[in-house]
Amino acid sequence: MSKKDIFGDDVQESKDFASFEEMFAQSEKSMDRRLSVGDQLQGEILSIGKEEAFIATGTPVDGMIFTRDLLDENKQVKYKVGDIIDCVVTAIKGGEIRLAKKGSLAATTDSLEDAFDMELPVEGRVTETCNGGFRVSVQGKTAFCPISQIDLKFAQDATEYVGRKFEFLITQFDSKGRNIVVSRRRLLELQRAENEGTFMLKHQPGAVLEGKVMRLERFGAFVELEPGIEGLIHVSELAWSRVNDPHEIVSLGQNVTVKLLKTEEIDGKLKISLSLKQADGEGNPWLSVPQKFPVGTVVKGKVEKKETYGLFVNIAPGVTGLLPKSKWRDSVEAAQYENKKRGDEVTVQVDQILFEEKKISLGLPHEAEDTSWKSHTTSASGFGSLGDAFKNLNLKPK
């Protein structure tokens, strides 16, 4: 049974309520909408003046269109207030939205020229490959993108970009819109610089971060921490034991937890140093060094590296100390240590531990000194134990 209003007419409550909800949702959506150069929209003409007209854009800000763009072939305005027309956003300056009628020359040329002048990104679709790069469709115009400017990395397979939409910066433009050159790389570099600045503000050395292994080289692994932000785990920071090849520890696409060691800007580029081994506290062999190798401990190790100033000796996985040349130079076994090479076994003694610096100074093991002589007391006669020794001989005169 339908409800009646006070006049006796049927009330379509559900339909009216649904319509209200739709209108309210649409209103909220429009309040959040943000327009960019090149966006297309349908708008209602709000007013028509001598030089300019205003059109509802579906956002809190109305758009301005030149009245000449609404004229017909006889130079007469062919629209009226309340008409809906298709428009293109040609510029956004100081909070003002400038429009042009869709399909007009101004809709394309003015929009692209403003984007070029103001270094605003425009959307384009890569249509095909060509000699030296790609043809890109930008607002109905054909632009050229050099192959070196399609990405931050070199495009190994050019076909993977064909048919895809990207944002570009216009790097070359003539007034007739016939010669347009675009660059995606330049836009990506600007975005990366902005992201790097934000990254440095958010993360300080010592922070533990999550990332994905994107590239492996002989000297280490490159890890993506955020879109466009990569850091390097040097091969020496992959594990506490010696690593010859990063493939031994990590693989492409692997998610890893790393520690941020430092960030520095070199030649205008941000360099981020990471550590995989230091991110895992429980696996750090240095935490147990004071207990396992207290000062004075004699241990067997293997020569890891030989330098002019001494031998680096590995005494446990991830734990290496230095046996300085000065410790064995005057030893009777000097020649033996001089001839040591990588992989040779050597017995050493822990002389000093610098825990914070993760350094161990090694020396040659030596037998404990005979200190028994100290137990002999000095007699009142001054001869001490020497006199007692003579008495014990019981020598008789001849």
Side-chain angles (χ1 to χ4, degrees), residues 221-258:
F222 287 92
V223 175
E224 184 179 61
L225 303 171
E226 294 179 5
I229 304 293
E230 280 191 355
L232 171 66
I233 308 175
H234 190 267
V235 67
S236 63
E237 291 294 331
L238 284 170
W240 293 104
S241 56
R242 185 177 180 85
V243 178
N244 295 316
D245 191 321
H247 289 86
E248 299 173 7
I249 307 298
V250 293
S251 57
L252 285 176
Q254 179 180 343
N255 293 320
V256 292
T257 300
V258 294

Side-chain angles (χ1 to χ4, degrees), residues 8-60:
D9 296 327
D10 291 336
V11 177
Q12 297 179 342
E13 184 178 21
S14 60
K15 183 177 180 181
D16 291 346
F17 184 72
S19 298
F20 174 78
E21 278 192 323
E22 291 174 3
M23 291 171 63
F24 184 76
Q26 186 66 30
S27 175
E28 280 194 320
K29 185 178 180 181
S30 67
M31 291 297 289
D32 294 333
R33 187 181 180 190
R34 295 290 183 270
L35 294 174
S36 302
V37 172
D39 284 353
Q40 300 181 13
L41 59 91
Q42 283 189 328
E44 178 185 351
I45 299 177
L46 302 176
S47 65
I48 301 176
K50 185 177 180 180
E51 297 292 337
E52 53 195 32
F54 287 90
I55 296 185
T57 62
T59 73

